[in-house]
């Protein structure tokens, strides 16, 4: 007697989806029926379909049964590591340089992203992260001191605001926008690249519940890649 | 008597993490002890901690208990929609233009990404996706016909390879790399932008089990943003 593995059930389910034997929009057989048909335990079918569901290839609803989605929306997941760890994971020595720190009212677009009145005094940080002494990422950050009162005791020339906030201002939610920008002259100067060079750019705003913590623009030196898995 | 909600337990747990009452690296109390301390059901504590764990603020291990991670790695999730739906979700009419279709041996970097011998004949597609008649995204794609035999019957001037593959070649895994590139002259011509303009670029390779399906470079017109949630 051969044992039917969940991997072989998964391969068979995948074959039926790809051959359109189970066409887009259609409900697939119940787990118990599939188990009988394929000669395996129901738990084996359940295990086989779980990965397909989490990959977006099947849509499992508690009461409505399992369907092949009409327009599957696949999801990719990206790690958002501390910049120091991102550099060190590339096998390169990391250094950090605080370029500028002040307290000021933020520009209107920053106040709007943080949903704070425009005259709220905030901490502004400009800092350069280096990999093997070459510019890696320019961090331009506004911090809401009301959300992070301890930050006044932090020496941000010793530890980056990126790292200090991760350790001291746990956030519950964040928005991220990724884009490509032409390096503005000042940014190009700090990143040691020609003005107008294409820069991979991350704009991030984070919140602790309803309290805005920080909004940051990270401009990476030309050639940067961000990897993800589907 | 007041009922303790899971939301209030979550707020309290978050306060303890942020105040370092539960410092990085420390194990937090058992769920049962927290339930007793806070005067609520154990299920309420479990529900409260679940989101914090999935957000990376707590690290739950079946046997070792729950800890505050030393270096939390946050994860962001991106949708990967069909390009047509991405355009239409922006409220813009979508059109599509097949620029070029041929069968040829792929360039070495493509063969390497797909882990196929360099002399494997593959389908090469160059296509332009438009939003309100303006260039939105240039798709440069290689398809492994061995993984998708039906593609020879598809009219890729009527339906984009992007959409045809989503409907007909379900994939189980994929790699994505995001970057910013300077528009090469031919790409700039198709996207109607100056050569050297910064382009947000997605390189994606997808697989059905061990079989490579396709590898694609998507270059978006200048100004494109990709949104994600943490």
């Amino acid at each position: 007697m051969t044992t039917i593995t969940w991997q072989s059930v998964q391969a068979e389910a995948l074959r039926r989806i790809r051959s359109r034997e189970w066409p887009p929009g259609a409900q697939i057989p119940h787990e118990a029926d599939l188990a009988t048909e394929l000669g395996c335990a129901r738990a084996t079918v359940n295990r086989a379909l779980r990965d397909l569901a989490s990959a977006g290839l099947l849509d499992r609803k508690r009461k409505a049964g399992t369907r092949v989605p009409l327009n599957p929306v696949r999801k990719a997941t990206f790690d958002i590591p501390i910049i120091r760890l991102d550099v060190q994971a590339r096998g390169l020595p990391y250094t950090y340089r605080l370029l500028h720190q002040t307290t000021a009212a933020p520009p209107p677009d920053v106040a709007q992203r943080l949903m704070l009145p425009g005259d709220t005094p905030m901490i502004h940080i400009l800092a350069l992260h280096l990999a093997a002494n070459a510019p890696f990422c320019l961090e331009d950050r506004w911090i809401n001191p009301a959300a992070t009162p301890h930050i006044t005791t932090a020496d941000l020339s010793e530890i980056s605001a990126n790292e200090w906030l991760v350790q001291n201002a746990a956030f519950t939610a964040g928005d991220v926008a990724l884009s490509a920008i032409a390096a503005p002259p000042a940014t190009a100067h700090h990143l040691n690249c020609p003005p107008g060079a294409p820069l991979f750019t991350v704009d991030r705003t984070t919140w602790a519940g309803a309290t805005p913590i920080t909004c940051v623009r990270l401009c990476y030196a030309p050639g940067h890649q961000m990897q993800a898995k589907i």
Side-chain angles (χ1 to χ4, degrees), chain A residues 84-95 130-134 136:
Chain A
R84 173 176 62 79
L85 297 180
D86 192 4
V87 168
Q88 290 172 343
R90 293 161 199 257
L92 300 170
Y94 169 82
T95 46
L130 300 101
N133 294 319
F136 179 76

Side-chain angles (χ1 to χ4, degrees), chain A residues 107-209:
Chain A
D109 63 312
V110 170
Q112 194 182 1
R113 277 166 62 193
L114 291 169
M115 300 187 201
L116 288 175
D119 53 357
T120 313
M122 296 183 66
I123 299 167
H124 183 220
I125 300 282
L126 191 68
L128 187 66
H129 302 261
L130 300 101
N133 294 319
F136 179 76
C137 177
L138 184 70
E139 174 181 356
D140 186 343
R141 182 186 293 275
W142 292 85
I143 303 169
N144 177 14
T148 54
H150 300 302
I151 197 161
T152 54
T153 67
D155 180 354
L156 297 178
S157 65
E158 286 298 320
I159 181 172
S160 75
N162 172 248
E163 193 150 353
W164 189 90
L165 286 166
V166 166
Q167 289 174 6
N168 293 276
F171 60 96
T172 48
D175 297 312
V176 181
L178 307 179
S179 60
I181 68 166
T187 305
H189 170 74
H190 292 305
L191 289 176
N192 197 23
C193 68
L199 305 182
F200 184 77
T201 299
V202 177
D203 287 295
R204 195 160 68 207
T205 308
T206 51
W207 306 79

Side-chain angles (χ1 to χ4, degrees), chain A residues 67-89:
Chain A
R67 289 183 179 276
V68 181
L70 271 175
N71 284 307
V73 172
R74 307 301 296 268
K75 291 184 184 296
T77 305
F78 294 79
D79 284 349
I80 303 191
I82 295 174
I83 298 168
R84 173 176 62 79
L85 297 180
D86 192 4
V87 168
Q88 290 172 343

